[in-house]
Amino acid sequence: MGIYINKGDEGFQSARNSEYVDKSGLIAVVNKTLNTEQRFSCVTRSRRFGKTMAAKMLQAYYDRSCDSRELFADLEITGHPSFEKHLNKYPVISIDVGFFVSIHKNATVISQMDSEVRKEVSQAYPNIPLEDDDNLMAYLIRVSLKTGDRFIFIIDEWDSILRECGQMAYDELRTVADVYVDWLRHLFKGEPATQVFAGVYMTGILPIKKYNTQSALNNFIEHTMIEPRRMARYFGFTLEEVKTLASKHDMDYAELEKWYDGYQIGDEDSIFNPNSVMQAVDIGRCRSFWASTGSFDAVTPYIAMNFDGLKDDIIFMLGGGRVSVDPTGFQNDISVIHSKDDVLTLLIHLGYLSFDWREEECYIPNLEVAKEMENAVKANKWEIVVTAITKSKGLLEATLRGNSDYVANALRSIHSEETSILSYNDENSLACVISLAYYYARNDYHIHREYPTGEGYADLVLIPRKNVTTPALVIELKYDKDTQAAISQIKKRNYPQQIAEYTGDILLVGINYDKNTKHHECQIERWRKE
C-alpha cells in the first residue's frame, strides 16, 4: 500500500466505521465525466464541508489495488448503472497538497511534491525505468504509453500552496504561485493529459485563480459555493439527512437547524454544515465549533478593510439582513482584494456567508456563523457595535414586557451612537439600528425583514422558533408621523406567509422617529389573530 498511489480504501473504511451520511451519489456525477472533455473537475467548498471525506470515498471506489465492493454495498451509488463499470478499475494517484505545505514551507514545496510522487509511482511500475530528467508528467506519459493505463488523479487542498506560500519568491522573476500553476498546467493541460488521465478531481477552498489573460487551467469544470452545478446536494447535509440524524440520536432538529442550517448552495435551499452537525451529534448538544478551525484569524483582516461601507453591511447582516453582492469580479486570490464585493465573495467561499444566486444577495446563514462574526467584530474593536449587541438582550426582554419607554430610550441611545459609523441615510440607518438592536433575538426567533422602500419604512417580523413560547413580534418603523399610525398599518397589512401560519400571540411594535428632534417613540400592543 502506497502513500500517493495504490493507497487502497482504508481512509474510507475509517469513515464507514464511524457515523456516516451517504454521499456516494457524488461518484455517479464524477463517473459521468470520465474519459470526456469534462474529465477535469475542481470542486471547492468551505472548511469542514467534507472535502477530504469525498476524496477518500473516490479513492476507495476507483483504486484497483483493493476490493471495496463491500464498503459501498449499502450505499446509494450501487443502484447507479455506472457503479460496476468503474469500481476498482484504475490506478489512482492521490495527494494532499496541504501535507506537503506543512512539511516544506518554502519555495521547494513543488519540486519536492513532484519528486516524491514520481518516485513512488515508479515503484508501482518497476519494469518502466525512471529517467534522470523525468518529471512526474513525463514519467506518467511513458507509463501510459507502455501499459495503456489511464490514471485517476485526486488532489486534496489544491489551493493550500496559493494560500500559504503563494506570494513567496521562487526566483527573481516568479513566485511560488506562478511555478505551482505552471506545474498543474503541465500535468493537466493539453493533449497528453487526455491520454494519461481518465479523470482528475481537485478539491480545496478557493476556485481557480482568474488571470488577466486566459486562465492557465481553463479546461477544469469548476463547482463552487457560488456555482456548484449538479453537485450542490453533496456540498453539505440536506434537511432530510439532518432530520434522520436528529431522530436517530434523540436531538432537537430545530436546534440543529438554528445552529447549522441556512446555506443556499445552487438549487439546494437548505444545506447544513456537515462537520458541525456531526460534532453536535457526537457530544449531544449544539454549540459553535468554528473556533477550533483556525479560520477566524483569516477573516478578521478583511472585515477591518471596510471597503465601501462594509462595516454597515456586516452590522446589517448580523441583525438578519441581506446584502447585494456581485461575485464575478473576485479573482479567487486571497491576496488580491480590491472591493467590498471581493471581501463578501471571499467570505462566501470561506463559509461565513451564504449566497442566494436568485437575488444576488449574501447573508449570515446560521447562529454558529453569527457568533463567529460577532467575535470578528469584537476583534476589530467596533466598541459601539459590541455595546449595541450587548444591550440587545435587554431590549428584547423590555419589548416582551411591553415596556415601550425602555425600548424608545434604548433605540435612541443606539441610534445616536451607531449612526456615527454608518454611511446610510436616516431611513436605512434606523433600519440597520433596529437590526442590530434585536440581534439577541436570533437565538429564539426566525427574523424576516423588508428593506426600506421609497415610502421610507422598514418592517421587521420575528417568529418564535420551535418550543419557544414567547410572542411573535411585528415591528413597523415610521418617520415624522406617530406610533399609532405604525400600529394601524400593521393591522391593515396583508401578513407574510410566516405570520399567516402563526397561531400564538403577537406583539405589534410601532416605532416613530422624528428627523428634526431625533426623538424616538414606541408603542407596543398585544394582539391575537382571530
Side-chain angles (χ1 to χ4, degrees):
M1 182 174 296
I3 299 175
Y4 311 116
I5 188 171
N6 299 334
K7 292 174 66 172
D9 57 15
E10 281 192 359
F12 191 53
Q13 178 70 67
S14 178
R16 290 308 317 269
N17 292 340
S18 310
E19 184 88 38
Y20 179 72
V21 173
D22 186 358
K23 290 295 179 181
S24 64
L26 172 66
I27 295 172
V29 179
V30 178
N31 281 349
K32 189 176 180 180
T33 70
L34 298 185
N35 298 305
T36 72
E37 292 298 313
Q38 291 77 43
R39 76 188 69 193
F40 303 98
S41 299
C42 184
V43 185
T44 52
R45 38 184 159 164
S46 307
R47 283 188 176 94
R48 308 173 312 120
F49 268 71
K51 298 185 298 296
T52 300
M53 181 70 74
K56 289 179 178 178
M57 178 182 68
L58 294 171
Q59 163 73 44
Y61 172 75
Y62 290 118
D63 195 337
R64 71 184 184 186
S65 71
C66 60
D67 182 357
S68 59
R69 182 180 302 275
E70 288 303 313
L71 275 180
F72 293 94
D74 60 338
L75 300 182
E76 174 188 345
I77 184 59
T78 58
H80 195 272
S82 69
F83 175 69
E84 293 289 347
K85 180 178 180 180
H86 300 288
L87 177 65
N88 303 134
K89 295 294 197 304
Y90 299 90
V92 179
I93 301 172
S94 182
I95 63 174
D96 179 354
V97 177
F99 168 77
F100 283 98
V101 172
S102 68
I103 300 299
H104 309 285
K105 292 187 176 180
N106 54 54
T108 70
V109 60
I110 301 157
S111 59
Q112 291 288 342
M113 185 162 56
D114 187 280
S115 175
E116 291 183 33
V117 176
R118 181 175 72 244
K119 289 178 181 177
E120 188 172 300
V121 173
S122 71
Q123 293 170 6
Y125 291 90
N127 296 326
I128 303 176
L130 184 62
E131 305 294 343
D132 291 340
D133 59 348
D134 276 341
N135 57 31
L136 177 59
M137 187 54 175
Y139 186 68
L140 290 178
I141 291 173
R142 190 180 309 119
V143 169
S144 184
L145 287 174
K146 291 189 176 182
T147 66
D149 285 352
R150 287 194 172 188
F151 295 85
I152 299 289
F153 204 131
I154 300 172
I155 301 181
D156 196 13
E157 297 292 348
W158 86 273
D159 59 327
S160 58
I161 286 180
L162 304 181
R163 289 184 280 110
E164 301 293 333
C165 309
Q167 299 308 304
M168 185 183 296
Y170 184 85
D171 55 31
E172 293 183 358
L173 299 176
R174 296 183 298 172
T175 65
V176 171
D178 296 328
V179 176
Y180 179 52
V181 171
D182 282 345
W183 183 76
L184 292 173
R185 178 171 55 189
H186 184 64
L187 275 172
F188 303 131
K189 194 86 179 280
E191 186 62 29
T194 62
Q195 297 174 354
V196 171
F197 301 112
V200 176
Y201 183 92
M202 294 201 310
T203 184
I205 297 175
L206 293 179
I208 295 171
K209 177 178 169 59
K210 299 176 183 176
Y211 293 87
N212 293 331
T213 57
Q214 191 176 27
S215 170
L217 297 170
N218 62 354
N219 56 323
F220 274 82
I221 305 299
E222 297 205 63
H223 309 259
T224 72
M225 297 288 283
I226 289 174
E227 180 49 80
R229 298 177 182 264
R230 298 191 182 277
M231 290 190 182
R233 66 182 292 251
Y234 306 111
F235 270 52
F237 288 170
T238 64
L239 182 150
E240 292 78 13
E241 289 164 347
V242 176
K243 282 186 174 180
T244 299
L245 284 170
S247 176
K248 178 180 178 181
H249 293 276
D250 195 26
M251 290 192 70
D252 184 355
Y253 168 78
E255 279 296 294
L256 292 168
E257 179 186 46
K258 175 176 73 174
W259 278 89
Y260 312 122
D261 188 17
Y263 290 97
Q264 179 176 329
I265 301 179
D267 291 331
E268 295 288 336
D269 294 326
S270 187
I271 291 291
F272 290 68
N273 181 316
N275 181 276
S276 294
V277 169
M278 296 308 296
Q279 291 202 57
V281 166
D282 184 53
I283 68 172
R285 63 183 178 88
C286 296
R287 65 174 180 86
S288 176
F289 298 100
W290 278 79
S292 62
T293 67
S295 56
F296 166 68
D297 292 336
V299 71
T300 50
Y302 300 105
I303 296 177
M305 289 179 181
N306 197 29
F307 287 108
D308 305 321
L310 176 64
K311 282 186 178 180
D312 303 352
D313 289 338
I314 296 295
I315 293 167
F316 196 67
M317 287 189 289
L318 277 169
R322 291 177 170 230
V323 172
S324 296
V325 60
D326 179 3
T328 58
F330 183 49
Q331 295 184 32
N332 301 330
D333 188 333
I334 201 167
S335 65
V336 182
I337 303 292
H338 295 305
S339 67
K340 179 176 70 174
D341 281 333
D342 284 350
V343 178
L344 294 175
T345 304
L346 175 60
L347 293 176
I348 293 169
H349 288 301
L350 292 175
Y352 286 88
L353 298 176
S354 182
F355 179 64
D356 182 343
W357 63 271
R358 298 179 183 92
E359 302 296 331
E360 296 187 333
E361 294 175 336
C362 60
Y363 57 93
I364 297 174
N366 52 50
L367 185 58
E368 180 183 40
V369 179
K371 288 187 176 296
E372 188 66 8
M373 292 294 279
E374 181 184 341
N375 289 336
V377 167
K378 291 176 180 177
N380 279 288
K381 302 186 185 304
W382 299 357
E383 299 298 341
I384 297 174
V385 179
V386 174
T387 299
I389 290 175
T390 303
K391 291 180 178 179
S392 66
K393 181 179 180 180
L395 180 71
L396 177 62
E397 292 174 345
T399 305
L400 295 175
R401 292 196 306 269
N403 190 338
S404 57
D405 289 339
Y406 182 101
V407 173
N409 290 331
L411 290 176
R412 179 165 56 250
S413 173
I414 296 172
H415 195 185
S416 61
E417 294 175 345
E418 195 61 47
T419 305
S420 64
I421 67 167
L422 295 176
S423 61
Y424 290 136
N425 58 30
D426 285 341
E427 287 81 0
N428 284 322
S429 175
L430 183 55
C432 188
V433 166
I434 293 294
S435 301
L436 189 62
Y438 283 96
Y439 171 79
Y440 183 81
R442 68 183 305 145
N443 287 283
D444 294 325
Y445 288 87
H446 295 283
I447 299 175
H448 305 275
R449 174 186 327 284
E450 293 178 0
Y451 276 87
T453 70
E455 300 296 323
Y457 67 85
D459 296 325
L460 192 66
V461 178
L462 285 70
I463 306 295
R465 297 181 183 275
K466 183 181 178 182
N467 299 325
V468 175
T469 58
T470 51
L473 279 69
V474 180
I475 303 172
E476 179 71 24
L477 312 181
K478 285 295 182 184
Y479 299 87
D480 297 330
K481 293 185 179 180
D482 56 63
T483 56
Q484 186 54 51
I487 295 293
S488 297
Q489 181 163 326
I490 294 174
K491 292 179 178 179
K492 294 177 182 178
R493 178 174 300 166
N494 291 322
Y495 289 104
Q497 189 66 25
Q498 291 82 6
I499 288 290
E501 296 175 351
Y502 180 70
T503 58
D505 286 355
I506 301 175
L507 292 182
L508 312 184
V509 182
I511 297 169
N512 184 61
Y513 172 61
D514 190 306
K515 298 179 183 178
N516 294 321
T517 66
K518 311 298 183 185
H519 184 64
H520 297 69
E521 295 177 308
C522 177
Q523 181 177 335
I524 302 173
E525 182 177 321
R526 184 176 292 268
W527 184 70
R528 175 176 285 276
K529 295 194 305 180
E530 297 179 356

